[in-house]
Amino acid sequence: MNLHFLFDTFRDIYPQKEGDDPKAFFSPGRINLIGEHTDYNGGHVFPTAITYGTYGLARKRSDRLVRMFSMNFEEKGIIEFTLDDLNYKTQHDWVNYSKGMIRFIQELGKELPCGLDVLIYGNIPNGAGLSSSASLEMLTGVMVNELYGFQLDMLDIVKAGKRVENEFIGVKSGIMDQFAIGMGKDNCGILLNCNTLKYEYAPLPLSEYKIIIMNTNKRRVLSDSKYNTRRSECEEALKLIQQECKVQSLGEITEEEFEAYKYLIDNDVLQKRARHAVYENQRTLNALQALKNDDLKGFGRLMNASHVSLRDDYEVTGIELDSLVEAAWKQEGVVGARMTGAGFGGCAIAIVKEEMVEKFIFEVGKEYQAKIGYQATFYAASIGNGTKAIE
């Protein structure tokens, strides 16, 4: 992205005195390589930050007004709110994610002494399941932290972002998105235990491969989807297992324990949901071990198995995601492919040998359009660092 263009746009939107320049920030999107729908089940995830994301320019004001403008939603114009009213308002649309962050940062005892002017530009496909909302949350958190010198730790900002989703927006998501976006590291995946927040970085041996993001172009709105239903189903299954097994989450249960106690779940659907959570958690731990053994093919097989489980046991894929992934599996040079994100539309990912990428995109795109009736979009993703100020 041309930063000069962003600065010029900021000055057009918010005329200002000479020399009173805004500060620039970048917050990535994320993909999850494996470990889907395990975060809120207290299991492990394996996400990475990517180099697509959200840019923000911000400058402090002298009053208590916050003004925000997105180049992605120019028709909505400047949306304003005051620091004295940080309640959710439908008419404030996308700005609610930023407003929620400011509210929860203030609840940490960090009062903003004045408002700010903000310009946003994102190159994450909107509604694609690459976590544009968490990217904006973390961008706002880091922006406020830096501009006002709050010296909050990144983990405090990550936790505030999760509160925005859960308490402000009303999506019962886990902490993975904000954690991956805030704590991302160049060329590394993060194995994160969502129960304890213990994590480790794992270098990804992808020098001869590309991660291809495949966008179904079927938009997904989490708060309107069956996401919360899946979470409730897992909570019900856990309660049934807890009759005899003393655990706090499905993420604590081994595959052997699940097989021993699954008879307690007397509902087939609930049993399938729990089986996915337990087995996906183990696949994620196995995936880290595969990388440590430099076994990228083993990692790819685990990705494939993850998609099958999400399709058959968790039922969150749908014809669009399945068509993309099944077409990807047939292509030469593919290590593995699966849906990524919450599902119900959005994106899938594939690890593809670099010299086969062009043919891969052509063949998968052709098969998808023939089956679904419209085009998918493909992006080659690089793995980058977490949210930060741009110097």
Side-chain angles (χ1 to χ4, degrees), residues 3 39 49 67 69 84 116 123 169 187 230 234 242 252 271 301 311-312 318-319 370:
L3 278 179
D39 55 348
R67 298 193 299 174
F69 179 86
D84 302 312
L116 62 164
N123 59 13
I169 306 298
N187 293 317
R230 290 295 177 276
C234 286
Q242 284 170 331
E252 293 173 37
Q271 194 176 113
R301 285 192 294 273
R311 181 190 70 198
D312 299 346
I319 188 171

Side-chain angles (χ1 to χ4, degrees), residues 189-257:
I190 311 171
L191 181 81
L192 170 66
N193 180 324
C194 297
N195 232 1
T196 63
L197 298 191
K198 187 181 170 195
Y199 66 98
E200 64 177 288
Y201 291 106
L204 289 162
L206 296 176
S207 55
E208 296 171 23
Y209 295 87
K210 286 282 182 194
I211 296 175
I212 305 299
I213 299 170
M214 307 179 281
N215 189 351
T216 61
N217 288 320
K218 177 188 179 185
R219 283 216 44 202
R220 176 184 55 78
V221 180
L222 263 194
S223 50
D224 296 341
S225 75
K226 295 176 183 170
Y227 184 97
N228 290 346
T229 308
R230 290 295 177 276
R231 182 162 186 163
S232 301
E233 288 166 343
C234 286
E235 286 165 358
E236 282 181 61
L238 176 63
K239 278 180 195 160
L240 294 169
I241 283 182
Q242 284 170 331
Q243 294 172 101
E244 289 187 26
C245 185
K246 301 301 174 203
V247 288
Q248 298 302 307
S249 70
L250 292 173
E252 293 173 37
I253 301 170
T254 65
E255 292 170 341
E256 294 72 27
E257 285 170 333

Side-chain angles (χ1 to χ4, degrees), residues 128-130 213-216 321 324 338-341 345-349 379:
L130 302 179
I213 299 170
M214 307 179 281
N215 189 351
T216 61
L321 283 166
L324 274 181
R338 63 183 287 276
M339 60 154 272
T340 188
C347 290
I349 52 170
Y379 311 85

Side-chain angles (χ1 to χ4, degrees), residues 34-35 43-46 191-193 200 251 279-292 302:
I34 194 165
H44 293 79
V45 290
F46 195 78
L191 181 81
L192 170 66
N193 180 324
E200 64 177 288
Y279 276 72
E280 181 78 349
N281 186 46
Q282 189 57 53
R283 271 189 289 273
T284 308
L285 294 172
N286 294 346
L288 176 70
Q289 201 51 54
L291 288 178
K292 285 181 173 175
L302 291 161

Side-chain angles (χ1 to χ4, degrees), residues 260-303:
Y261 290 111
K262 70 181 182 185
Y263 73 92
L264 294 165
I265 308 171
D266 54 2
N267 175 299
D268 286 348
V269 170
L270 296 185
Q271 194 176 113
K272 288 201 304 184
R273 305 300 187 244
R275 180 167 58 228
H276 168 76
V278 171
Y279 276 72
E280 181 78 349
N281 186 46
Q282 189 57 53
R283 271 189 289 273
T284 308
L285 294 172
N286 294 346
L288 176 70
Q289 201 51 54
L291 288 178
K292 285 181 173 175
N293 297 339
D294 208 20
D295 180 11
L296 195 58
K297 286 188 175 168
F299 186 89
R301 285 192 294 273
L302 291 161
M303 287 176 70

